[in-house]
Amino acid sequence: MIIDKWGFPSPHPQVKLSIITYLSNDLKIKGLLAEPENKNVSEGFLYLRGGIKNVGKVRPSRIVQFALQGFIVFAPFYQGNQGGEGNEDFAGDDRYDAFSAFQLLADHPRVKRVHVFGFSRGGVMALLTALHMPEAASVVTWGGVSDMFLTYEERVDLRKMMKRVIGGTPHKYPERYEYRTPLYELNQLQANVLIIHGVLDHNVSVEHAFRLEKRLKELGKPVDTWYFKEYTHYFPPAINRQIVRDLGRWMKEQ
C-alpha cells in the first residue's frame, strides 16, 4: 500500500516523522506518520483530521503530541490535499482514505492493534472507519460531527460548500446525507467509544455528542462521555494536553 516514504522535520527528537504516499481506491493519497523512537511502542493511532481543504490541516506538532503518549500515529490528509490525487468528499468517498490508512497502520511491523481518533468532521470519519474495521481497538470522537443533517442545519456558513461537495441539500438528496451519517449503522459497531465535547462548542454543537451517546445507549453499546461545560470547540492548551494524556490511557485500557 505504501508507494513512497520520506523524512519530514520533527519538532521532537524522540519522534520520527515521515510523509507517506499510499493507495486508496487507486488514488495516491498523502499522510503523516509519526513513529516514536521507543521500540516498545506497539499501539497504532489513526488520526482523522477535521475541516476540509486548508481548514483543519494536519499539524505535525499535534501528531507528535499523540505519539509521545505511546502511539505510532498516522494522519491521512484525505484525497485532493497536499499533493494527493482526487477530490475531498466530506465523509463521502474520502472515507476510503481513512479505511486504507487504518490498514496501513495495522500492517506496520510494530503495531499490534489500531485505535481510531477523530476531531470535528473527523468524528464522522472515525465512526465510519470503526464500522468498516470491526477490529478497531477503540474509537474516540472529540468535538466530533455525528449527524450530517444537523451540520447542514446548524452551520449556515458551510451550506454552500456542502451543497457543492455533496451535490445538493438534505431535502433534495437525503440519501447522500444519510450515507455520511453513521448514527444509522451503529448497531454494527464493535469498538468501545469515548465522546469528548465542549458544551459551548459552536462549530460542532454538543447535540452531535448527545445524539451519538443516546443512540449507542439505545443499542446497548459501551460508551464513555467527557463533557466540559466551560469549553468551546477549542480547549485551553494545558487542558488540551491533559485530555490527550487521559484519552491515551483510556485507549490502552480498552
Side-chain angles (χ1 to χ4, degrees), residues 39 54-55 68 70 83 164 182 196 205 225-226 232 234 241 247:
K39 299 302 181 184
N54 290 326
V55 177
L68 289 172
R164 174 178 56 81
I196 304 170
S205 77
T225 55
W226 299 351
T232 62
Y234 303 102
R241 288 191 294 271
L247 76 85

Side-chain angles (χ1 to χ4, degrees), residues 224-237:
D224 290 316
T225 55
W226 299 351
Y227 294 124
F228 295 86
K229 294 180 180 179
E230 62 272 56
Y231 300 133
T232 62
H233 199 55
Y234 303 102
F235 289 38

Side-chain angles (χ1 to χ4, degrees), residues 113 115 137-139 192-193 222 224 249-254:
R113 61 182 190 155
H115 305 269
S138 69
V139 58
N192 290 358
V193 177
D224 290 316
R249 282 194 293 270
W250 180 90
M251 280 181 165
K252 292 173 184 176
E253 290 169 357
Q254 304 311 303

